[in-house]
Amino acid sequence: MSDRETILGKIRRSLAVDTNDVGRRAIVIARLEGTPRGIVPKRGQLPAEQRVSLFSKMAEKVSGSVGRVAKPEDVPRAVAEFLRENNLPAAIRTGGDPLLAGMPWDDTQVEVSHGPSDGGDPVGLSHAVAGVAETGTLVLTSGPDNPTTLNFLPETHIVVVAAEDIAGDYETVWDDLQKRHGKGHLPRTVNLVTGPSRSADIEQTLLLGAHGPRRLHIVVVG
Amino acid sequence: MEITSNTFKKNAREALADPALQRAMSHVRSGFIDKRARAAAALPEFDEIRDTGRDIKNHTLAHLDLYLEAYEDRVRSAGGEVHYAETAESALETVLGICRKANAKTVTKGKSMIAEEIGLNEYLEEHGIEPVETDLGEYIIQLRHEGPSHIIAPAVHLNKDQVEESFRAAHTDLPADRDLSEPTSLLNEARGILRERFLAADVGITGANFLVAETGTSVIVTNEGNGDLTQILPRVHIVVASIEKIVPTLNDVSQIMRLLARSATGQDLSVYTTFSTGPRRPDDPDGPDEYHVVILDNGRSEMLGSEFKEALRCIRCGACMNHCPVYQAVGGHAYGWVYPGPIGAVLDPQLIGIEKAGNLPNASTFCGRCEEVCPMRIPLPKMMRHWREKEFERHLSPATARYGIGLWAFFARRPRLYQWATRWAMRVLANGAIGKGRYTSLPLAGGWTKYRDFPSPEGDGRTFQEQWAARRKSA
C-alpha cells in the first residue's frame, strides 16, 4: 500500500468514518464552494478615503514610508524625488506592468530597466494589485509582467498601489483575485507584504533589512 | 538529533546554573509577552476570532481525509507534485530523491519545524548534499551545531557575543579585525554571506504554515524574507509540511492569520505572508520550474483518534512556551527534543514515544497560562495530565514517586486512619516550626527544601478538615 493510502486509511480509522459517506463529502464541497467569511474586524470597514488613511497609518507603523500622488502621470516624479532625498541611484528595475509602463518615465532622470532581479539592482519598482487597510499590507501577484524577485532582492522596494484598490480586509482581496484568476485559482505567487524585511533573532533586538528590502516605500495613486 | 528528554531534571538543573542562558532568557518577557498582550488588546475581535480559529481547525480535522484529497487535486492541476510520507524516513527518502534528480549540491532552507522533526539537515549531509539554513536564528544554530530552543526564535537562548564568536569561527575569509560588536553588523554579515548561497542553491526547501485546500496553495510566514528567496531563486521548490496544516479556504486562512503573528511576536501580521501555488507559469519571468509538497504524517493520524487530537490545532506560534514559567526558567534545550514548552510536552511523547519523552508532561506547574494564551484554545494542561496518567499506568514514573503515591492511597482509602494521621502530622509540623513559620530542611522532603523553604501549616496545627468543620459550625 502506498503512503498515501496508508495515511488516508489511518485518518479514516481514527475518525471512524467511511469513504462512501456522501454527507461528509457534501459538507466539504459546500465549504470549498461557499468559502464562508469568518469574523472580519471592524477596523478596516471604512469609507474609501478613511481606508486609505488607515492603510497609510498602518504601513508607517511597521516602518514603511508612504507618499501619495493624484494620478499615474505623477508617479515618476514622486519616485525620482524619493530616490534623490534618500541618496539612492536614479535607476530602477521593474517588470512590464502596464500601469507602470504607461507612466512618463522619460520626463525624469530615472533610468528604467526591465525584467527580474539578479540581486544587482539597488531599487525595485512594483505594482501592487491591492492594499489592505487593516494591517497596512500590500498584495503583489506574480505574472508575466511582475517578477517576484523584485519584491525581495533589491535593497529598496518601491510599490505603487491605486487608492481604489485599497480594501478594508483580506477577504475582499481574495474575492477580487478569484474574479480575476478564476474560482479556486491563484497566480503562482501572492505576496502579502507588511513593511520592510526585519529580524529579531539576535537578543530580541528588532533590526530592519534581514534578507529582503531594507526600505519599503509606497506610492498611493488617486 | 539526540533525544535527552528523559534527563529533563538534570538538563533543567544545568540550565538554571548557566549564566549565559539565563541572560538570554531575560529577553523573553519584553520580546514576546508584552508585545503579544498589546497586539491582542488592540484588536477588539481577537478573542472571538480565537473561537472561529478553533472551530475552523476542528472542522478541518473532522474532514481531514477529504480536505487532503481536495488539496492534492488542486496542487496537481497547478502543475505541482504531492508526495505523502507516513514516517520521517519516508519523508527523508522522498526529499533526497527529488534533490538527486535535480543534481543538487546545495539546498537553501527556510525555517521549518518539520525539517527539524525529521532530522533533514543531518540526513542530507550524510548523503553528500549541503543544507544551508537561511533564517538568521537557524543559520546561527546551524553554525553552532545546535538544535532550535524555540519554535519561532530558534536562537533565543544565545547572546550576541556568542553569535559573534560563531561568525568569527565560520567566516574566516573576512578580515579578522572587523567590528561585530553590534547586532546590526552581525545581521549585515549574515545577509551578505547568505545572499551568495541563495543565488547558488539548486533546491530550496521551506515548511508551510498552511496548506489551502481551496486553491492548492502552500503559505509561509516570515519576517526576514529568507523563505521567499529560498523558494523563488532555485530551480526546484520543495515544501515539507504535516497533515494538520490543511485549512479549507483562503477566508479560513485569513482568520488564523489574524491570530498567528499577534500570538507569536505581537505583530498585526508578519512582514511576508506568501501564497505559493505550483511551479512558475509558462510566461512567468522567475520562480521555480518544479514544485513539490511532501506531506508528513509521523504519528499524527493516530493522534486524531486519541485524547490528544486537539493538539493538532496548533499553529506553532510559540505563545505557550513564551508564557510558561518552566520554559522561561530553563529554555528550550532542557526539553531534549525539537518541540519545547507546553506544546512540546504534549507532542513529543506522541511523536517519539512516551518511553523517551514521558518526563516532559511533568515539567509543568499547571498554572494554566499556556491554555489562556493559546490562540487555538488547546487545553494543554489537561493533555499533560493525560500523559502523566499514561506514564503512571505504564510504570514509567520513578519508583519513589510510585511508592509515595501508593502510601498516600493506603491512607486515603481509610478515612479514619487518614484523619488521625494527618491530625498527628499537622500538630508535629506546627510545633516544630514555632517562631520561624517555615522549615529549611525536613526528612523525606529534601527535594523540596533543597531549593525553597517548606511553610509550616497555618491554622494552629489543625488539619483542613478540622478547620472546615469548625468554620461550618461557627457559620
XYZ file of all heavy atoms in Angstrom, chain A residues 3-4 10 12 14 24 31 35 39 41-43 58 61 134 143-144 147-149 152-153 171 174 178 186 188-195 197-199 201 203 209-214, chain B residues 42 45 59 62-63 65 67 69 72 85-86 90 134-135 137 159-160 188 191 195 214 223-224 226 228 237 251-252 254-255 258 268 271-279 281 285-286 301-302:
740
model
N 2.069 5.181 0.762
C 1.968 6.037 1.949
C 0.648 6.816 1.943
O 0.034 7.031 2.979
C 3.151 7.019 1.998
C 4.410 6.358 2.545
O 4.494 5.106 2.481
O 5.307 7.078 3.031
N 0.259 7.209 0.743
C -0.979 7.980 0.627
C -2.175 7.178 1.154
O -2.939 7.668 1.998
C -1.203 8.352 -0.836
C -2.470 9.110 -1.093
C -2.662 9.376 -2.590
N -3.798 10.234 -2.807
C -5.059 9.789 -2.856
N -5.317 8.501 -2.698
N -6.060 10.634 -3.038
N -5.550 5.552 7.807
C -5.397 5.756 9.254
C -6.261 6.924 9.734
O -6.844 6.878 10.820
C -3.921 6.002 9.599
C -3.112 4.705 9.679
C -1.628 4.972 9.660
C -1.056 5.226 11.031
N 0.424 5.390 10.970
N -9.050 7.903 8.441
C -10.461 7.458 8.464
C -10.735 6.534 9.634
O -11.803 6.602 10.259
C -10.817 6.781 7.132
C -10.937 7.817 6.024
C -11.245 7.246 4.661
N -11.266 8.365 3.714
C -10.601 8.387 2.559
N -9.892 7.339 2.173
N -10.659 9.452 1.787
N -9.149 6.618 12.533
C -9.167 7.461 13.733
C -10.467 8.236 13.860
O -10.973 8.447 14.949
C -7.999 8.447 13.701
O -6.830 7.816 14.165
N -20.537 13.699 4.486
C -19.275 14.397 4.794
C -18.741 15.101 3.556
O -18.272 16.219 3.610
C -18.223 13.386 5.295
C -18.477 12.842 6.667
C -17.406 11.839 7.020
N -16.155 12.475 7.421
C -14.976 12.246 6.863
N -14.873 11.413 5.852
N -13.897 12.851 7.289
N -18.225 23.896 1.796
C -17.310 24.892 2.368
C -16.342 25.418 1.306
O -16.046 26.605 1.252
C -16.514 24.293 3.520
C -15.712 25.377 4.231
C -15.233 24.933 5.581
N -14.726 26.081 6.316
C -15.287 26.560 7.404
N -16.389 26.035 7.879
N -14.745 27.594 8.026
N -17.028 29.165 0.577
C -15.967 29.953 1.229
C -16.519 30.987 2.214
O -16.355 32.200 2.025
C -15.067 30.674 0.193
O -15.828 31.621 -0.530
C -14.428 29.684 -0.754
N -14.967 36.163 11.076
C -15.155 37.488 11.660
C -14.193 38.463 10.995
O -12.980 38.258 11.018
C -14.903 37.423 13.165
C -16.005 36.585 13.808
C -14.843 38.820 13.778
C -15.691 36.153 15.207
N -12.622 42.064 11.104
C -12.510 43.155 12.073
C -13.139 44.456 11.568
O -13.013 44.798 10.396
C -10.995 43.316 12.231
C -10.428 41.991 11.887
C -11.331 41.443 10.814
N -13.768 45.151 12.482
C -14.426 46.420 12.123
C -13.410 47.468 11.700
O -13.702 48.366 10.924
C -15.210 46.948 13.328
C -16.438 46.134 13.629
C -17.465 46.955 14.421
C -18.627 46.079 14.839
N -18.233 45.109 15.901
N -12.196 47.331 12.220
C -11.147 48.309 11.996
C -11.036 48.801 10.543
O -10.889 49.983 10.282
C -9.820 47.673 12.405
C -8.644 48.591 12.329
C -7.362 47.783 12.324
N -6.946 47.411 13.660
C -5.835 46.702 13.915
N -5.059 46.316 12.938
N -5.519 46.410 15.154
N -1.077 52.383 9.100
C -0.605 51.038 9.485
C 0.719 50.707 8.790
O 1.597 50.082 9.387
C -1.658 49.974 9.149
C -2.971 50.088 9.911
S -2.786 50.180 11.707
C -2.489 48.473 12.112
N 3.413 52.477 10.580
C 3.634 51.859 11.895
C 4.645 50.710 11.807
O 5.388 50.448 12.751
C 2.284 51.345 12.432
C 2.270 51.033 13.917
C 0.887 50.564 14.361
C 1.010 49.246 15.083
N -0.255 48.555 15.302
N -6.485 47.186 6.978
C -6.458 46.572 8.314
C -5.052 46.508 8.910
O -4.855 46.769 10.098
C -7.044 45.164 8.160
C -7.256 44.415 9.431
C -7.788 42.992 9.141
O -8.363 42.748 8.050
O -7.622 42.140 10.021
N 3.381 37.178 -12.295
C 2.790 37.046 -13.623
C 3.818 37.505 -14.637
O 4.901 37.945 -14.250
N 3.486 37.393 -15.925
C 4.462 37.747 -16.958
C 5.084 39.130 -16.745
O 6.262 39.330 -17.024
C 3.627 37.734 -18.235
C 2.449 36.866 -17.938
C 2.203 36.954 -16.468
N 7.751 40.208 -11.949
C 8.682 39.233 -11.371
C 8.663 39.303 -9.847
O 8.649 40.391 -9.270
C 10.054 39.693 -11.890
C 9.790 40.750 -12.931
C 8.433 41.300 -12.651
N 8.666 38.148 -9.206
C 8.634 38.103 -7.742
C 9.974 38.517 -7.142
O 10.024 39.080 -6.043
C 8.273 36.672 -7.285
O 7.034 36.309 -7.893
C 8.103 36.593 -5.773
N 11.069 38.255 -7.877
C 12.399 38.608 -7.353
C 12.519 40.097 -7.033
O 13.283 40.479 -6.149
C 13.503 38.214 -8.356
O 13.066 38.506 -9.680
C 13.841 36.741 -8.250
N 12.026 41.112 -3.424
C 12.901 40.632 -2.348
C 14.378 40.967 -2.502
O 15.065 41.169 -1.510
C 12.735 39.110 -2.197
C 11.364 38.733 -1.748
C 10.390 38.361 -2.658
C 11.030 38.820 -0.398
C 9.103 38.056 -2.237
C 9.758 38.512 0.030
C 8.791 38.132 -0.892
N 14.892 41.014 -3.728
C 16.347 41.180 -3.879
C 16.847 42.625 -3.760
O 17.865 42.859 -3.112
C 16.820 40.532 -5.184
C 16.865 38.981 -5.154
C 17.135 38.421 -6.548
C 17.921 38.469 -4.169
N -10.269 39.410 3.053
C -11.348 38.664 2.397
C -11.762 39.329 1.085
O -12.012 38.656 0.084
C -12.554 38.547 3.342
C -12.379 37.519 4.469
C -11.592 38.035 5.675
O -10.998 39.130 5.588
O -11.579 37.335 6.706
N -9.239 38.495 -1.585
C -9.388 37.132 -2.145
C -10.519 37.093 -3.162
O -10.392 36.482 -4.221
C -9.646 36.096 -1.039
C -8.570 35.990 -0.006
C -8.736 35.959 1.346
C -7.143 35.901 -0.225
N -7.513 35.861 1.968
C -6.525 35.827 1.028
C -6.346 35.901 -1.372
C -5.144 35.738 1.193
C -4.964 35.819 -1.225
C -4.380 35.737 0.053
N -9.976 36.091 -7.106
C -10.661 34.951 -7.707
C -11.490 35.394 -8.912
O -11.638 34.643 -9.870
C -11.566 34.278 -6.674
C -10.848 33.914 -5.397
C -10.489 32.452 -5.308
O -11.330 31.589 -5.424
N -9.220 32.182 -5.114
N -5.117 30.744 -8.105
C -4.297 31.914 -7.740
C -3.101 31.952 -8.684
O -2.715 30.930 -9.248
C -3.776 31.772 -6.308
C -4.745 31.969 -5.150
C -4.015 31.768 -3.821
C -5.382 33.363 -5.174
N 0.976 32.052 -9.433
C 1.993 31.235 -8.763
C 2.304 31.799 -7.384
O 2.295 31.114 -6.388
C 3.273 31.193 -9.604
C 4.244 30.077 -9.223
C 5.091 30.315 -7.992
N 5.425 29.044 -7.356
C 6.284 28.922 -6.352
N 6.895 29.972 -5.869
N 6.493 27.768 -5.800
N 2.599 33.078 -7.312
C 2.950 33.666 -6.026
C 2.061 34.864 -5.703
O 1.885 35.749 -6.541
C 4.424 34.128 -6.031
O 5.256 33.051 -6.437
C 4.852 34.586 -4.648
N 1.507 34.865 -4.522
C 0.840 36.057 -3.996
C 1.606 36.469 -2.748
O 1.705 35.711 -1.788
C -0.637 35.786 -3.632
C -1.293 37.043 -3.086
C -1.406 35.252 -4.833
N 2.207 37.657 -2.787
C 2.971 38.145 -1.641
C 2.168 39.178 -0.873
O 1.769 40.201 -1.425
C 4.276 38.814 -2.104
C 5.258 37.827 -2.707
O 5.654 37.952 -3.869
N 5.645 36.825 -1.935
N 1.913 38.880 0.403
C 1.366 39.897 1.292
C 2.558 40.517 2.007
O 3.268 39.822 2.746
C 0.425 39.248 2.312
C -1.063 39.192 1.947
C -1.274 38.567 0.593
C -1.846 38.420 2.989
N 2.794 41.803 1.753
C 3.991 42.453 2.286
C 3.574 43.544 3.263
O 2.817 44.448 2.909
C 4.846 43.055 1.153
C 6.039 43.816 1.725
C 5.319 41.963 0.201
N 4.054 43.440 4.493
C 3.689 44.397 5.537
C 4.966 44.987 6.124
O 5.520 44.446 7.073
C 2.849 43.683 6.622
O 1.832 42.893 5.991
C 2.195 44.674 7.569
N 5.469 46.028 5.496
C 6.698 46.671 5.969
C 7.936 46.054 5.352
O 7.859 45.041 4.641
N 11.708 44.142 5.363
C 12.250 42.931 5.993
C 12.865 43.244 7.355
O 13.421 44.310 7.569
C 13.310 42.359 5.041
O 14.197 41.505 5.713
N 12.778 42.301 8.271
C 13.326 42.519 9.615
C 13.641 41.203 10.306
O 13.168 40.146 9.909
C 12.339 43.307 10.469
C 11.071 42.552 10.806
C 9.962 43.505 11.214
N 9.700 44.457 10.139
C 9.057 45.617 10.312
N 8.624 45.973 11.480
N 8.852 46.416 9.287
N 14.431 41.284 11.374
C 14.707 40.107 12.193
C 14.898 40.539 13.634
O 15.417 41.616 13.905
C 15.967 39.394 11.709
O 16.271 38.330 12.595
N 16.154 37.999 15.702
C 16.750 36.740 16.155
C 17.957 36.923 17.071
O 18.374 35.979 17.726
C 17.136 35.867 14.956
C 15.969 34.996 14.497
O 14.997 34.885 15.272
O 16.034 34.443 13.399
N 19.109 38.515 20.312
C 18.704 39.133 21.579
C 17.394 39.903 21.491
O 17.207 40.920 22.147
C 19.816 40.046 22.108
C 21.048 39.275 22.545
C 22.073 40.142 23.261
O 21.880 41.375 23.304
O 23.046 39.572 23.771
N 15.874 45.036 7.474
C 16.732 44.602 6.366
C 17.457 43.310 6.640
O 18.680 43.252 6.619
N 16.708 42.248 6.898
C 17.361 40.961 7.150
C 17.822 40.352 5.820
O 19.002 40.358 5.519
C 16.428 40.033 7.899
N 16.900 39.829 5.034
C 17.281 39.276 3.727
C 16.588 40.010 2.592
O 17.076 40.067 1.485
C 16.915 37.796 3.647
C 17.757 36.933 4.526
N 19.105 36.792 4.323
C 17.456 36.201 5.620
C 19.594 35.983 5.245
N 18.616 35.625 6.057
N 15.426 40.554 2.884
C 14.664 41.294 1.881
C 15.029 42.770 1.956
O 16.034 43.140 2.555
N 14.193 43.615 1.329
C 14.489 45.060 1.273
C 14.656 45.692 2.656
O 13.939 45.361 3.600
C 13.254 45.634 0.585
C 12.675 44.506 -0.187
C 12.982 43.265 0.579
N 15.627 46.602 2.736
C 15.810 47.352 3.981
C 14.789 48.475 4.076
O 14.539 49.017 5.142
C 17.197 47.998 3.990
C 18.339 47.010 4.014
C 19.650 47.755 3.835
N 20.732 46.848 3.519
C 21.475 46.207 4.428
N 21.242 46.371 5.710
N 22.438 45.403 4.058
N -5.223 45.379 21.045
C -5.524 46.365 20.006
C -6.543 45.856 18.985
O -7.001 46.613 18.135
C -4.233 46.777 19.290
N -11.766 42.196 18.289
C -12.377 40.902 17.927
C -11.458 39.723 18.220
O -11.777 38.584 17.879
C -12.731 40.886 16.437
C -13.789 41.904 16.012
C -13.183 43.244 15.591
O -11.980 43.481 15.867
O -13.910 44.049 14.991
N -13.249 21.633 12.449
C -13.985 21.214 11.247
C -13.038 20.524 10.257
O -13.357 19.475 9.695
C -14.643 22.437 10.592
C -15.121 22.184 9.197
N -16.333 21.591 8.927
C -14.525 22.398 7.985
C -16.467 21.460 7.603
N -15.387 21.948 7.013
N -11.946 17.063 11.389
C -13.028 16.081 11.288
C -13.240 15.621 9.842
O -13.876 14.604 9.594
C -14.321 16.666 11.856
N -12.726 16.396 8.886
C -12.872 16.034 7.460
C -11.508 15.992 6.787
O -11.376 16.279 5.601
C -13.764 17.060 6.746
C -15.124 17.198 7.350
N -15.398 18.046 8.399
C -16.297 16.569 7.070
C -16.676 17.942 8.728
N -17.246 17.048 7.936
N -9.324 13.747 5.768
C -9.070 12.912 4.582
C -9.587 13.584 3.321
O -8.909 13.625 2.295
C -9.721 11.528 4.772
C -11.186 11.620 5.185
O -11.562 12.606 5.848
O -11.973 10.719 4.835
N -10.284 16.865 2.855
C -9.582 18.110 2.522
C -8.204 17.826 1.931
O -7.741 18.544 1.051
C -9.487 19.029 3.744
C -10.766 19.799 3.986
C -11.489 19.651 5.169
C -11.263 20.663 3.020
C -12.668 20.343 5.380
C -12.445 21.360 3.218
C -13.140 21.200 4.400
O -14.313 21.883 4.594
N -7.499 15.270 0.059
C -7.752 14.891 -1.339
C -8.027 16.115 -2.204
O -7.519 16.222 -3.319
C -8.939 13.916 -1.414
C -8.584 12.518 -0.921
C -9.788 11.573 -0.905
O -10.935 12.048 -1.117
O -9.578 10.379 -0.684
N -4.761 18.072 -2.716
C -3.883 17.355 -3.632
C -4.311 17.569 -5.095
O -3.478 17.834 -5.970
C -4.031 15.880 -3.237
C -3.122 14.930 -3.869
C -3.568 13.500 -3.519
O -4.181 13.271 -2.453
O -3.323 12.624 -4.344
N 4.135 11.002 3.023
C 5.162 10.278 3.768
C 4.590 9.879 5.116
O 4.254 10.735 5.940
C 6.398 11.150 3.949
N 4.470 8.567 5.332
C 3.883 8.104 6.585
C 4.852 8.324 7.745
O 4.458 8.611 8.867
C 3.517 6.618 6.470
C 2.609 6.168 7.589
C 2.582 4.663 7.770
O 3.121 3.945 6.915
O 2.032 4.229 8.791
N 10.441 7.954 5.420
C 9.837 8.045 4.099
C 9.943 9.477 3.560
O 10.233 9.695 2.378
C 8.383 7.583 4.207
O 7.670 7.900 3.065
N 18.708 29.507 6.256
C 18.763 30.918 5.859
C 18.061 31.855 6.835
O 18.289 33.055 6.817
C 18.137 31.110 4.472
O 16.767 30.697 4.522
C 18.882 30.291 3.431
N 17.190 31.334 7.674
C 16.621 32.161 8.735
C 17.784 32.508 9.657
O 18.609 31.642 9.967
C 15.562 31.348 9.483
C 15.086 32.024 10.759
O 14.190 32.872 10.674
O 15.625 31.696 11.846
N 18.246 33.074 12.803
C 18.378 32.254 14.008
C 18.808 30.830 13.679
O 19.681 30.255 14.327
N 23.312 34.872 23.327
C 23.585 36.295 23.419
C 24.436 36.712 22.229
O 25.056 35.870 21.577
C 24.329 36.599 24.716
C 23.498 36.219 25.921
O 22.486 36.831 26.205
N 23.916 35.161 26.609
N 24.508 38.042 21.996
C 25.175 38.463 20.770
C 26.669 38.135 20.758
O 27.231 37.860 19.695
C 24.915 39.943 20.474
C 25.522 40.939 21.432
C 25.267 42.358 20.876
C 26.131 43.405 21.538
N 25.688 43.844 22.844
N 24.182 42.180 9.077
C 24.682 42.513 7.747
C 25.658 41.467 7.229
O 25.666 41.147 6.049
C 25.342 43.892 7.751
C 24.294 44.983 7.850
O 23.121 44.756 7.540
N 24.704 46.160 8.310
N 23.619 38.551 6.134
C 22.912 38.902 4.901
C 23.827 38.732 3.688
O 23.467 38.143 2.680
C 22.402 40.341 4.999
C 21.643 40.821 3.778
C 21.249 42.301 3.908
N 20.767 42.804 2.629
C 19.501 43.136 2.372
N 18.592 43.033 3.311
N 19.141 43.574 1.182
N 23.300 35.774 0.956
C 22.863 36.216 -0.373
C 23.523 35.366 -1.457
O 22.886 34.911 -2.405
C 23.176 37.708 -0.531
C 22.626 38.385 -1.751
C 21.139 38.173 -1.976
N 20.211 38.937 -1.174
C 19.737 40.140 -1.493
N 20.150 40.762 -2.563
N 18.848 40.736 -0.717
N -8.703 24.918 -0.941
C -9.469 25.607 -1.983
C -8.642 25.849 -3.246
O -9.139 25.751 -4.360
C -9.965 26.953 -1.419
C -10.777 27.792 -2.383
C -11.028 29.218 -1.869
O -10.511 29.584 -0.789
O -11.732 29.966 -2.567
N 9.499 37.030 8.589
C 9.784 38.456 8.720
C 11.009 38.862 7.932
O 11.200 40.024 7.605
C 10.019 38.821 10.193
C 8.714 39.017 10.921
O 7.776 39.581 10.368
N 8.648 38.556 12.151
N 11.891 37.888 7.676
C 13.175 38.226 7.073
C 13.114 38.253 5.556
O 13.872 38.974 4.914
C 14.228 37.207 7.540
C 14.419 37.228 9.041
C 15.495 36.257 9.505
O 16.179 35.657 8.657
O 15.645 36.105 10.723
N 13.653 35.434 3.996
C 14.525 34.316 3.630
C 13.746 33.162 3.010
O 14.211 32.514 2.082
C 15.299 33.820 4.855
C 14.380 33.241 5.908
O 13.428 33.897 6.332
N 14.632 32.014 6.311
N 11.176 33.399 1.178
C 10.850 33.745 -0.208
C 12.053 33.571 -1.124
O 11.933 33.027 -2.211
C 10.322 35.182 -0.254
C 8.948 35.255 0.377
O 7.982 34.899 -0.297
O 8.856 35.613 1.572
N 11.503 23.863 -5.867
C 10.988 24.244 -4.544
C 10.304 23.032 -3.916
O 9.405 22.450 -4.513
C 10.005 25.411 -4.689
C 9.330 25.809 -3.401
N 8.174 26.542 -3.362
C 9.656 25.580 -2.100
C 7.802 26.735 -2.095
N 8.681 26.165 -1.315
N -10.388 32.315 2.984
C -11.053 33.054 4.054
C -10.741 32.445 5.425
O -10.581 33.161 6.415
C -12.569 33.087 3.842
C -12.969 34.103 2.778
O -12.166 34.964 2.413
N -14.183 34.000 2.277
N -10.643 31.115 5.463
C -10.287 30.455 6.729
C -8.855 30.819 7.127
O -8.573 31.086 8.298
C -10.419 28.932 6.597
C -11.870 28.490 6.416
O -12.756 29.169 6.963
O -12.105 27.485 5.731
N -7.366 33.519 6.443
C -7.373 34.918 6.898
C -7.716 35.004 8.382
O -7.166 35.836 9.105
C -8.382 35.737 6.085
O -8.103 35.586 4.713
N -8.650 34.164 8.824
C -8.992 34.160 10.252
C -7.760 33.810 11.089
O -7.433 34.489 12.048
C -10.085 33.126 10.541
C -11.444 33.477 9.977
C -12.044 34.704 10.648
O -12.426 34.689 11.803
N -12.102 35.806 9.935
N -4.867 36.244 11.406
C -5.077 37.346 12.358
C -4.669 36.934 13.772
O -4.490 37.780 14.637
C -6.538 37.791 12.332
C -6.930 38.466 11.022
C -8.324 39.093 11.095
N -8.624 39.819 9.880
C -9.433 39.356 8.903
N -10.049 38.200 9.038
N -9.635 40.075 7.811
N 0.828 42.720 14.004
C -0.519 42.521 13.470
C -0.481 41.453 12.387
O -1.372 40.625 12.267
C -1.062 43.834 12.892
C -1.399 44.828 13.996
O -1.531 44.393 15.156
O -1.511 46.038 13.706
N 5.830 40.233 8.295
C 6.175 41.063 7.140
C 5.800 40.366 5.826
O 5.177 40.962 4.958
C 7.676 41.424 7.150
C 8.036 42.235 5.907
C 8.009 42.230 8.405
N 6.177 39.108 5.705
C 5.892 38.395 4.456
C 4.985 37.196 4.696
O 5.364 36.259 5.384
C 7.193 37.911 3.807
C 8.150 39.040 3.512
C 9.356 39.158 4.200
C 7.830 40.009 2.563
C 10.225 40.213 3.939
C 8.690 41.065 2.296
C 9.890 41.163 2.993
O 10.729 42.202 2.744
N 3.776 37.260 4.152
C 2.898 36.100 4.136
C 2.766 35.730 2.665
O 2.217 36.502 1.879
C 1.527 36.429 4.740
O 1.730 36.969 6.050
C 0.659 35.183 4.851
N 3.334 34.583 2.292
C 3.462 34.270 0.869
C 2.673 33.028 0.502
O 2.795 31.986 1.141
C 4.946 34.090 0.510
O 5.597 35.339 0.737
C 5.119 33.688 -0.944
N 1.863 33.172 -0.544
C 0.990 32.098 -1.024
C 1.585 31.548 -2.320
O 1.700 32.278 -3.297
C -0.415 32.654 -1.288
C -1.125 33.116 -0.038
C -0.698 34.245 0.655
C -2.217 32.414 0.458
C -1.340 34.662 1.810
C -2.870 32.820 1.613
C -2.427 33.944 2.289
N 1.967 30.259 -2.317
C 2.594 29.669 -3.498
C 1.744 28.540 -4.047
O 1.357 27.637 -3.310
C 3.971 29.107 -3.146
O 4.728 30.104 -2.512
N 1.484 28.590 -5.344
C 0.621 27.600 -5.977
C 1.328 27.040 -7.210
O 1.421 27.711 -8.231
C -0.721 28.255 -6.384
O -1.204 29.047 -5.286
C -1.757 27.211 -6.748
N 1.854 25.839 -7.096
C 2.507 25.195 -8.234
C 3.832 25.844 -8.603
O 4.327 26.739 -7.920
N 4.446 25.371 -9.712
C 5.698 25.972 -10.193
C 5.405 27.239 -10.996
O 4.236 27.606 -11.153
C 6.252 24.881 -11.104
C 5.047 24.165 -11.618
C 4.003 24.238 -10.539
N 4.571 29.757 -13.882
C 3.691 29.567 -15.036
C 4.486 29.833 -16.314
O 5.530 30.488 -16.267
C 2.488 30.524 -14.941
C 1.769 30.462 -13.596
C 0.929 29.190 -13.470
N 0.657 28.840 -12.068
C -0.330 29.355 -11.330
N -1.130 30.272 -11.833
N -0.517 28.961 -10.086
N 8.467 35.395 -15.445
C 9.892 35.688 -15.614
C 10.782 35.071 -14.533
O 11.995 35.001 -14.699
C 9.958 37.216 -15.539
C 8.714 37.631 -14.835
C 7.688 36.567 -15.031
N 10.224 34.644 -13.410
C 11.046 33.983 -12.383
C 10.198 33.001 -11.588
O 9.011 32.841 -11.851
C 11.764 35.004 -11.472
C 10.816 36.049 -10.911
O 9.586 35.797 -10.892
O 11.291 37.114 -10.482
N -1.914 10.926 12.377
C -3.226 10.335 12.065
C -3.727 9.504 13.254
O -4.931 9.403 13.468
C -3.147 9.478 10.801
O -2.149 8.491 10.934
N -2.798 8.945 14.034
C -3.219 8.205 15.228
C -3.695 9.165 16.317
O -4.662 8.900 17.032
C -2.063 7.368 15.773
C -1.854 6.087 15.002
C -0.463 5.527 15.159
O 0.188 5.820 16.189
O -0.020 4.823 14.241
